Amino acid sequence: MSGETVITVVGNLVDDPELRYTPSGAAVAAFRVASTPRVFDKQANEWKDGDSLFLTCSAWRTLGENVAASLARGSRVIVQGRLKQRSYEDREGVKRTVVELDVEEVGPSLLRATATVTKTTGQNGSNGQQQRQQPADDPWNTAQQQRPAQRPQQPQQQYAQQQYPAQGYGDEPPY
């Protein structure tokens, strides 16, 4: 929709994501991200933490399930989504306004960590669309847990091994 505020936040998870289900069965993971800027104090000649931004995030359906299964408190993440403002009355009758993030994408930050990505298997994609089935001989299909020890070579692989037998691919073109 036009007019929505889409932002990207880099920060750390404050708590473990909490996975819940709506009465209709839709999964939603709620988590908070703390984003703290680093600022250089010229007088002290050192880096200091600025004021932290704490943002409550909601990830829905398959994304929410994947967040809950993959991330934990302290994980550094990159979160992108639509900023939403919501008003409500608390228990004492005081009117409050909060700003929350309806998450569209989330992933681990690889600045100071590594991650292993595993494709999920199932009938539904992130938008409820049916996923295409991967061909059995697709080398990029990570859903294949066990591969046969020897697969018949494709013609391109045979050609590459003839051109570059022991070294693998080189800088020289094959023509």
Side-chain angles (χ1 to χ4, degrees):
M1 286 189 220
S2 66
E4 292 182 330
T5 305
V6 177
I7 66 166
T8 302
V9 177
V10 179
N12 296 333
L13 291 188
V14 176
D15 297 311
D16 289 334
E18 183 179 338
L19 184 62
R20 293 184 181 179
Y21 292 88
T22 65
S24 64
V28 59
F31 57 96
R32 289 190 324 138
V33 175
S35 179
T36 307
R38 298 282 288 171
V39 294
F40 188 74
D41 184 355
K42 290 182 180 180
Q43 294 173 340
N45 199 30
E46 64 183 7
W47 287 94
K48 293 185 178 181
D49 287 339
D51 293 333
S52 295
L53 168 69
F54 290 89
L55 199 54
T56 300
C57 303
S58 298
W60 290 85
R61 297 173 189 74
T62 304
L63 177 61
E65 292 174 334
N66 292 344
V67 165
S70 304
L71 301 173
R73 179 179 185 251
S75 299
R76 187 144 182 93
V77 293
I78 303 167
V79 182
Q80 181 180 29
R82 295 180 313 273
L83 206 55
K84 302 285 183 175
Q85 181 173 313
R86 182 172 58 90
S87 297
Y88 67 97
E89 277 190 27
D90 66 9
R91 292 181 182 147
E92 290 80 34
V94 178
K95 193 167 188 170
R96 301 204 179 262
T97 301
V98 294
V99 178
E100 300 171 329
L101 190 63
D102 191 8
V103 177
E104 293 175 357
E105 297 283 343
V106 61
S109 170
L110 301 180
L111 182 62
R112 294 182 183 93
T114 61
T116 302
V117 177
T118 305
K119 286 185 182 179
T120 58
T121 58
Q123 293 300 326
N124 293 330
S126 61
N127 292 331
Q129 300 170 348
Q130 191 161 354
Q131 292 179 337
R132 291 187 298 151
Q133 188 169 0
Q134 295 287 342
D137 63 345
D138 182 2
W140 296 103
N141 184 2
T142 57
Q144 295 175 348
Q145 296 300 320
Q146 295 179 340
R147 295 182 185 223
Q150 284 289 336
R151 288 197 323 212
Q153 290 185 339
Q154 300 294 327
Q156 295 89 356
Q157 293 172 327
Q158 291 172 351
Y159 175 76
Q161 287 182 345
Q162 290 169 359
Q163 288 294 89
Y164 309 104
Q167 307 93 321
Y169 291 99
D171 291 335
E172 295 296 319
Y175 44 84

